[in-house]
């Protein structure tokens, strides 16, 4: 009943009570119903908090140029107040409109304007239409580490990546920034648009702003400025991790600037320009009221009146290079910042001295002529490298290129590598399981000279997932999805209904909201196209529907197991996979290939699930392994990996005992209860034997009770999940797999790579991997069968009966089968 009530009222409740949901519903309506209007340009800068940066420079050029008088200009603004004086000169123009950010009018303009210009990102609900032209000007040459180079969770750049993939044009002022786009944001090979490396329109504003007029403008903002003094601007970047802790940074700024004013205030005007994340906190403080530059003021116009720039890791110094005026780098936290975030340039490349105390800054200001001479050569080198295109005429060149479509020779980079095939792949949740191991191995083995790989998944929230992401080949890129699809109310209801019921019948197939899923794909990937879209997890309709909606030539779904059996598997009285798998089965016919992980599992799935897809769609690709990594990890010290376990009374395997080990999720299909019962009988005859279970899962409590009931606490150990299980495995005499069903058990391949003796239940998947007993002993899938296998090992009856497994040869076959599935 609770589920039914939630189903009925959930979407309506979200619409009525949650403004962000309501905004998305409204935007979707405008997006679908309204046409794109030619000759309209929609601008947004700093989330609507200012008219500034390159969007403002382009706007000023277009609005005053007679050739472009037919254009209608629409600005997104987040409020009034400080913006009023910036907006005032344009309010009387017939072709200029200002809309409040997030209003209905804003949503309409975002959905209908022909040209969209932003210096950062539109919100996560934004979707580019095919007829729209999205121009992302970006906002600076990076000194601090950006994109996927930032340590920690890579999802922090997800909306930036989404906007980049949606953009038709991306502005870069220099090769350094272009490299950041291509490599640090991993746009090379996937970005469909053009990177215009022609300088920044915003720097034109520094060239063309009249300093005297602008000083008068600042006076009108109640800033204390003496036109007869030179001007110092302190512009630190945002360095925190939480906006709620912004006050700590502001306190430091107040102390430093109070000291600097005392020391040099007689000769200089001193102003502060803080990062937007700090501004709301800074504006509350009376101590800096007459020093703080309002957020609405355009930074590049401001630089026209600055004589000395003091900054830290902000990109502002690159723009300031065109003035030929001195720069001081005040980096009191440099060691910490370098370790936690990092910078791209070494200190000897900085066009000014690195200063670590405000006293050093004050002294440098007094010696500014001497410092300018000392850094003249480095300064010029920085200008040549970072501002070579910025001659004051960047805006006209770019406007001509985009709006006149006169493809005059500009420095344009098209990063799409047409010779590489593009793969989009959903790996599952990257939790500790066999599918994750298989996926990591695939990224280790795939030929990145031929394939470009994008990994599509939910924003990671657990350390377990983040650790596994760290193991994925760095040549692949992660792209993340939030759970906020841009649907209508009707589509939301259809989606929920399909999720719970599947698309089995004629009615449910009609209800299947395919257009909504395609729209969601476009929201995530813009105009990106792929050659292959793969649901590698193969357990979730929730993800399969988006893989099926991908703009891809071929769509594949993996089948890692006997999925009919898995759909009926019961854990603690529940069937956790039934709804998801039954729903997934109902869309199997929409995939081009259904890929099992062994020939045996393919036959099993084809026989069991033939009602859901044509026979020819069933195929197989063997899981690959990484022999070099497996063997290297096996040579690590077992004590290091066992320290925490010893506290729980788990003993390291010794040569005085006969040691068996198994590995896998503690789950019913693994048959671990049978193995414990078989071992209990075996242990009566071989009391020096021990059994180790590596892994975690929902059956831990049940298995612990069983171990206690059979009085095996001193001989059977639940080790838990190990970051590196191979040292423990190698210490044991035999690997045992007691599963009732599998797809293609990775643990067998890993044990075989280490040359271990193996006992496994005689099921289709185990038989396939062990090649009918060639690489291990197959026993009856029963307690008695497992006991007999353990006994045979104890009596040395397995010696010299098994062939040598050559992992490198296996891996070649596995990857060949993967490529064949893609191509045939």
């Amino acid at each position: 009943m609770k589920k039914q009530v939630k189903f009925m009222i959930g979407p309506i409740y979200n619409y009525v009570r949650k403004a962000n949901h309501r905004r998305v519903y409204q935007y979707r309506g405008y997006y679908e119903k309204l046409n794109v209007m030619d000759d309209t340009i929609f601008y947004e800068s700093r989330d609507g908090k200012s008219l500034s940066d390159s969007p403002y420079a382009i706007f000023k050029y277009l609005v005053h140029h007679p050739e472009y008088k037919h254009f209608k200009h629409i600005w997104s603004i987040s409020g009034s107040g400080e913006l009023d004086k910036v907006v005032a000169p344009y309010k009387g123009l017939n072709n200029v409109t200002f809309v409040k950010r997030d209003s209905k009018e804003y949503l309409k303009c975002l959905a209908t304007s022909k040209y969209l210009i932003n210096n950062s990102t539109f919100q996560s609900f934004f979707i580019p239409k095919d007829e729209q032209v999205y121009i992302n000007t970006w906002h600076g040459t990076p000194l601090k580490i950006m994109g996927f180079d930032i340590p920690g969770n890579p999802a922090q750049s997800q909306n930036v990546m989404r906007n980049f993939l949606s953009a038709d044009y991306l502005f870069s002022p220099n090769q350094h920034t272009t490299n950041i786009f291509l490599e640090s944001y991993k746009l090379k090979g996937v970005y469909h648009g053009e990177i215009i490396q022609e300088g920044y329109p915003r720097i034109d504003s520094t060239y063309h702003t009249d300093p005297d007029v602008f000083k008068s403008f600042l006076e009108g903002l109640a800033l204390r400025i003496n036109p007869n003094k030179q001007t110092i601007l302190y512009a630190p970047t945002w360095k925190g991790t939480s906006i709620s802790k912004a006050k700590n940074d502001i306190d430091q700024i107040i102390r430093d600037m109070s000291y600097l004013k005392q020391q040099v205030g007689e000769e200089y005007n001193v102003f502060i320009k803080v990062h937007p994340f700090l501004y709301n906190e800074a504006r509350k403080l009376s101590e800096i009221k007459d020093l703080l530059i309002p957020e609405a003021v355009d930074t590049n116009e401001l630089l026209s009146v600055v004589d000395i720039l003091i900054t830290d890791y902000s990109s502002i110094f690159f723009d300031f290079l065109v003035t030929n005026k001195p720069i001081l780098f005040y980096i009191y936290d440099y060691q910490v910042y370098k370790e936690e975030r990092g910078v791209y340039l070494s200190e000897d490349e900085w066009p000014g001295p690195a200063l670590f105390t405000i006293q050093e800054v004050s002294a440098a200001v007094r010696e500014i002529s001497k410092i300018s001479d000392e850094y003249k050569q480095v300064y010029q080198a920085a200008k040549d490298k970072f501002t070579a295109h910025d001659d004051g005429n960047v805006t006209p060149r770019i406007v001509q290129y985009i709006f006149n479509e006169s493809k005059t020779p500009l420095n344009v980079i098209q990063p799409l590598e047409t010779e590489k095939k593009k793969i989009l792949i959903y790996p599952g949740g990257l939790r500790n399981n066999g599918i994750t191991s298989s996926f990591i191995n695939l990224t280790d083995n795939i030929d990145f000279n031929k394939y470009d790989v994008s990994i599509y998944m939910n924003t990671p929230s657990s350390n377990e997932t983040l650790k596994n992401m760290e193991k994925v080949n760095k040549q692949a890129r992660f792209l993340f999805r939030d759970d906020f699809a841009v649907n209508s109310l009707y589509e939301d209801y259809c989606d929920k209904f399909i999720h719970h019921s599947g698309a089995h019948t004629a009615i449910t197939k009609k209800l299947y909201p395919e257009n909504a899923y395609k729209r969601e794909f476009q929201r995530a990937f813009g105009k990106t196209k792929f050659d292959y879209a793969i649901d590698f997890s193969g357990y979730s309709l929730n993800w399969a529907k988006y893989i099926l909606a991908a703009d891809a030539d071929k769509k594949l779904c993996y089948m890692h197991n006997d999925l009919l059996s898995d759909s009926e598997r019961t854990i603690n009285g529940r069937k956790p996979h039934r709804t998801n798998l039954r729903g997934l089965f109902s869309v199997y016919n929409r995939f081009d290939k259904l890929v099992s992980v062994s020939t045996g599992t393919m036959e099993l799935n084809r026989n069991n699930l033939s009602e859901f897809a044509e026979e020819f769609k069933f195929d197989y690709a063997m899981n690959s392994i990484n022999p070099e990594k497996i063997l290297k990890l096996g040579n690590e010290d077992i004590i290091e990996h066992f320290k925490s376990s010893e506290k729980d009374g788990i003993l390291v395997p010794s040569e005085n005992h006969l040691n068996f080990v198994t590995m896998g999720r503690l789950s019913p299909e693994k048959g671990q209860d049978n193995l414990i019962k078989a071992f209990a009988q075996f242990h009566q005859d071989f009391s020096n034997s021990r059994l180790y279970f590596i892994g975690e899962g929902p059956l831990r409590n049940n298995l612990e009770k069983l171990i206690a009931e059979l009085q095996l606490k001193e001989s059977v150990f639940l080790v838990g999940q190990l970051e590196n299980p191979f040292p423990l495995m190698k210490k044991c005499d035999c690997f045992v797999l007691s599963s009732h069903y599998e797809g293609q058990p990775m643990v067998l391949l890993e044990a075989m790579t280490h040359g271990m003796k193996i006992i496994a239940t005689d099921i289709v998947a185990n038989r396939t991997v062990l090649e009918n007993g060639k690489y291990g002993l197959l026993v009856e899938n029963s307690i008695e069968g497992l006991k007999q296998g353990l006994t045979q090992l104890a009596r040395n009856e397995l010696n010299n009966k098994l062939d040598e497994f050559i992992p490198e040869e296996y891996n070649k076959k596995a990857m060949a089968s993967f490529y064949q599935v893609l191509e045939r």
Side-chain angles (χ1 to χ4, degrees):
M1 180 63 72
K2 283 183 180 179
K3 286 184 178 179
Q4 289 174 339
V5 170
K6 188 176 179 182
F7 172 83
M8 291 300 296
I9 70 171
I12 293 175
Y13 176 86
N14 288 339
Y15 183 87
V16 173
R17 299 300 299 271
K18 297 181 180 179
N20 56 341
H21 283 258
R22 187 162 56 252
R23 187 160 52 242
V24 166
Y25 286 132
Q26 290 168 343
Y27 173 72
R28 182 266 174 202
Y30 299 139
Y31 180 89
E32 289 292 340
K33 295 173 184 176
L34 302 179
N35 296 324
V36 170
M37 297 183 295
D38 289 335
D39 299 333
T40 55
I41 308 173
F42 184 77
Y43 305 84
E44 185 166 281
S45 183
R46 295 192 180 280
D47 299 332
K49 295 187 175 103
S50 65
L51 272 63
S52 63
D53 211 289
S54 292
Y56 185 46
I58 294 170
F59 164 74
K60 286 189 295 184
Y61 179 82
L62 290 172
V63 82
H64 291 126
H65 200 294
E67 187 179 349
Y68 303 104
K69 63 183 179 181
H70 58 287
F71 279 108
K72 181 182 179 183
H73 307 273
I74 306 163
W75 270 98
S76 157
I77 56 173
S78 59
S80 54
E82 291 180 347
L83 260 176
D84 289 345
K85 290 195 175 180
V86 179
V87 166
Y90 306 106
K91 277 219 163 176
L93 299 180
N94 293 331
N95 62 340
V96 180
T97 305
F98 297 93
V99 295
K100 185 171 175 55
R101 193 170 189 258
D102 291 339
S103 66
K104 287 184 178 180
E105 197 59 35
Y106 169 90
L107 299 174
K108 285 181 186 177
C109 293
L110 185 61
T112 60
S113 295
K114 175 70 174 180
Y115 297 95
L116 307 168
I117 306 180
N118 200 316
N119 77 328
S120 185
T121 60
F122 287 114
Q123 295 172 81
S124 61
F125 60 79
F126 163 69
I127 307 169
K129 291 183 176 180
D130 291 340
E131 311 96 290
Q132 290 182 306
V133 178
Y134 178 17
I135 303 160
N136 190 298
T137 70
W138 203 232
H139 53 266
T141 295
L143 174 61
K144 57 189 177 186
I145 296 296
M146 301 294 283
F148 292 107
D149 294 342
I150 300 173
N153 191 336
Q156 56 195 313
S157 298
Q158 67 177 346
N159 196 41
V160 174
M161 282 296 298
R162 204 182 63 79
N163 273 261
F164 284 170
L165 292 178
S166 296
D168 296 280
Y169 300 101
L170 190 55
F171 290 2
S172 168
N174 47 58
Q175 188 62 50
H176 166 74
T177 305
T178 298
N179 291 342
I180 300 301
F181 289 147
L182 296 178
E183 306 299 336
S184 303
Y185 283 103
K186 299 190 177 183
L187 293 183
K188 187 177 182 181
V190 70
Y191 177 53
H192 76 283
E194 295 181 344
I195 298 174
I196 301 178
Q197 186 183 302
E198 194 64 28
Y200 266 150
R202 72 184 194 181
I203 296 179
D204 290 354
S205 297
T206 306
Y207 278 105
H208 300 307
T209 299
D210 185 316
D212 294 329
V213 173
F214 197 78
K215 284 178 184 178
S216 299
F217 170 71
L218 292 179
E219 285 178 348
L221 299 177
L223 292 165
R224 190 182 299 172
I225 183 166
N226 185 333
N228 299 316
K229 291 182 183 180
Q230 290 198 315
T231 298
I232 294 173
L233 177 67
Y234 179 43
T237 191
W238 163 249
K239 292 173 281 191
T241 55
S242 172
I243 299 173
S244 62
K245 297 178 182 176
K247 192 175 185 305
N248 296 339
D249 294 317
I250 296 297
D251 289 343
Q252 174 85 40
I253 291 169
I254 290 172
R255 288 194 300 271
D256 289 337
M257 290 303 101
S258 296
Y259 178 86
L260 189 62
K261 268 195 70 109
Q262 289 173 7
Q263 298 300 310
V264 302
E266 291 297 319
E267 303 119 67
Y268 291 95
N269 300 304
V270 177
F271 293 118
I272 305 165
K273 178 78 171 170
V274 298
H275 192 279
F277 287 169
L278 296 178
Y279 183 73
N280 283 335
E281 189 67 34
R283 67 186 296 193
K284 300 173 188 174
L285 305 174
S286 59
E287 298 96 321
I288 55 174
K289 183 175 160 186
D290 56 353
L291 309 180
L292 184 65
I293 300 292
E295 187 176 16
V297 171
D298 180 67
T299 300
N300 291 88
E301 290 182 341
L302 174 66
L303 291 181
S304 69
V305 303
V306 173
D307 297 286
I308 300 174
L309 175 67
I310 303 171
T311 187
D312 46 16
Y313 320 105
S314 171
S315 65
I316 192 173
F317 90 82
F318 292 103
D319 289 20
F320 194 65
L321 288 169
V322 300
T323 68
N324 292 311
K325 293 176 182 177
I327 304 166
L328 304 176
F329 293 91
Y330 177 32
I331 49 172
Y332 59 84
D333 58 348
Y334 185 49
Q335 289 306 317
V336 173
Y337 191 84
K338 191 161 66 167
E339 289 172 12
E340 292 182 355
R341 177 74 182 257
V343 294
Y344 286 115
L345 304 183
S346 59
E347 295 94 305
D348 59 2
E349 295 177 275
W350 297 8
L355 308 168
F356 301 96
T357 67
I358 194 61
Q359 290 77 18
E360 290 179 349
V361 173
S362 176
V365 170
R366 295 193 178 281
E367 297 286 329
I368 200 65
S369 296
K370 181 181 175 184
I371 285 172
S372 294
D373 289 339
E374 286 177 7
Y375 281 86
K376 192 172 184 179
Q377 205 168 358
V378 183
Y379 199 108
Q380 186 59 47
K383 284 188 68 174
D384 294 342
K385 183 174 182 179
F386 300 113
T387 61
H389 299 291
D390 290 297
D391 56 2
N393 294 299
V394 174
T395 308
R397 292 197 297 270
I398 289 180
V399 165
Q400 285 285 326
Y401 185 81
I402 295 175
F403 291 92
N404 278 9
E405 297 184 357
S406 63
K407 300 303 179 187
T408 51
L410 292 186
N411 195 12
V412 174
I413 293 93
Q414 295 173 316
L416 201 59
E417 293 177 330
T418 52
E419 70 274 13
K420 283 189 182 183
K421 299 280 190 176
K422 294 198 295 300
I423 296 174
L424 177 69
I425 187 165
Y426 168 64
L430 289 185
R431 308 303 292 261
N432 294 325
N433 55 43
I435 292 175
T436 295
S437 297
S438 304
F439 176 73
I440 291 169
N441 290 337
L442 178 62
T443 66
D444 283 337
N445 287 298
I446 199 165
D447 187 349
F448 283 94
N449 291 317
K450 295 181 179 177
Y451 296 94
D452 178 275
V453 180
S454 296
I455 302 165
Y456 186 37
M457 60 181 287
N458 268 332
T459 303
S461 56
S462 71
N463 287 331
E464 179 183 333
T465 299
L466 287 169
K467 281 183 180 179
N468 284 320
M469 288 171 64
E470 275 294 311
K471 299 174 186 176
V472 172
N473 193 307
K474 297 298 182 286
Q475 294 182 80
R477 75 178 62 78
F478 281 99
L479 300 170
F480 302 97
R481 178 183 177 270
D482 57 41
D483 268 328
F484 215 156
V486 179
N487 293 340
S488 66
L489 276 169
Y490 174 74
E491 288 168 338
D492 265 351
Y493 279 113
C494 289
D495 178 52
K496 289 177 183 294
F497 186 78
I498 292 298
H499 176 73
H500 289 290
S501 305
H504 297 274
T505 66
I507 292 175
T508 53
K509 285 175 182 177
K510 276 190 174 182
L511 289 175
Y512 185 83
E514 186 173 15
N515 286 339
Y517 302 147
K518 287 182 176 180
R519 190 187 313 118
E520 179 65 5
F521 174 84
Q522 194 165 358
R523 184 180 78 87
F525 299 102
K527 299 167 185 175
T528 310
K529 298 180 185 295
F530 295 92
D531 295 284
Y532 310 104
I534 304 173
D535 179 356
F536 190 81
S537 167
Y539 271 86
S540 171
L541 172 60
N542 191 46
W543 280 93
K545 66 193 183 189
Y546 295 126
I547 293 298
L548 285 167
D551 190 349
D553 295 334
K554 198 170 187 179
K555 296 157 189 177
L556 305 89
C557 184
Y558 263 70
M559 309 173 86
H560 289 276
N561 225 323
D562 172 357
L563 290 178
L564 185 63
S565 297
D566 235 6
S567 70
E568 297 301 317
R569 183 184 5 142
T570 302
I571 302 177
N572 297 328
R574 293 179 61 252
K575 295 180 178 179
H577 294 305
R578 182 178 175 84
T579 298
N580 257 331
L581 282 177
R582 290 287 172 168
L584 181 58
F585 296 164
S586 74
V587 297
Y588 269 174
N589 63 303
R590 297 171 183 260
F591 284 99
D592 297 291
K593 288 284 183 181
L594 301 168
V595 185
S596 295
V597 289
S598 68
T599 52
T601 307
M602 177 188 70
E603 294 298 336
L604 197 62
N605 283 321
R606 181 157 55 194
N607 290 335
N608 291 340
L609 302 170
S610 58
E611 65 180 286
F612 298 107
E614 298 92 332
E615 185 175 320
F616 71 87
K617 291 191 174 185
F618 291 86
D619 210 331
Y620 78 96
M622 296 149 59
N623 282 320
S624 63
I625 56 176
N626 188 330
E628 184 180 346
K629 183 162 72 173
I630 292 169
L631 294 171
K632 182 181 178 183
L633 289 171
N635 290 329
E636 291 187 1
D637 186 358
I638 188 173
I639 299 300
E640 284 298 311
H641 295 280
F642 237 55
K643 278 180 179 174
S644 61
S645 297
E646 286 186 317
K647 294 175 184 175
D648 300 324
I650 298 173
L651 302 175
V652 176
S654 73
E655 294 179 359
N656 300 323
H657 292 82
L658 183 58
N659 301 295
F660 296 92
V661 64
T662 187
M663 181 163 65
R665 182 169 168 78
L666 306 183
S667 189
E669 77 278 7
K670 301 297 182 181
Q672 290 129 340
D673 53 345
N674 276 4
L675 179 55
I676 291 170
K677 291 171 184 175
F679 182 81
Q681 297 177 23
F682 165 80
H683 190 64
Q684 293 174 8
D685 297 325
F686 299 91
S687 58
N688 70 330
S689 57
R690 286 177 177 170
L691 174 60
Y692 296 86
F693 287 82
I694 303 172
E696 279 296 349
L699 291 192
R700 173 178 266 277
N701 291 339
N702 300 39
L703 297 179
E704 284 177 341
K705 287 177 185 176
L706 181 59
I707 291 167
E709 287 171 8
L710 297 174
Q711 300 180 347
L712 291 172
K713 281 188 172 183
E714 300 301 317
S715 302
V716 177
F717 306 105
L718 302 183
V719 177
Q721 189 71 32
L722 295 180
E723 184 67 23
N724 177 8
F726 300 123
L728 173 57
M729 285 173 60
K730 280 183 65 179
K731 275 280 184 182
C732 294
D733 300 284
C734 180
F735 185 89
V736 186
L737 191 63
S738 54
S739 298
H740 299 308
Y741 59 89
E742 289 273 358
Q744 188 194 26
M746 297 299 298
V747 288
L748 286 185
L749 294 166
E750 290 161 348
M752 290 155 62
T753 299
H754 280 298
M756 295 185 71
K757 292 172 181 158
I758 293 171
I759 299 168
T761 47
D762 190 4
I763 58 174
V764 169
N766 294 348
R767 196 182 314 131
T768 303
V769 171
L770 296 177
E771 295 192 17
N772 294 312
K774 185 177 176 182
Y775 299 119
L777 177 65
L778 292 164
V779 300
E780 182 182 275
N781 182 17
S782 66
I783 296 169
E784 181 60 29
L786 288 165
K787 178 194 169 187
Q788 289 178 7
L790 299 176
T791 303
Q792 280 185 259
L793 185 283
R795 291 175 176 165
N796 293 319
E797 294 175 5
L798 296 188
N799 288 345
N800 303 320
K801 288 187 177 180
L802 303 178
D803 288 6
E804 180 186 2
F805 175 68
I806 303 173
E808 292 77 13
E809 289 186 6
Y810 166 83
N811 224 30
K812 286 180 183 176
K813 290 180 184 176
M815 289 310 297
S817 68
F818 172 75
Y819 296 136
Q820 285 169 7
V821 163
L822 295 184
E823 301 300 337
R824 67 185 170 208

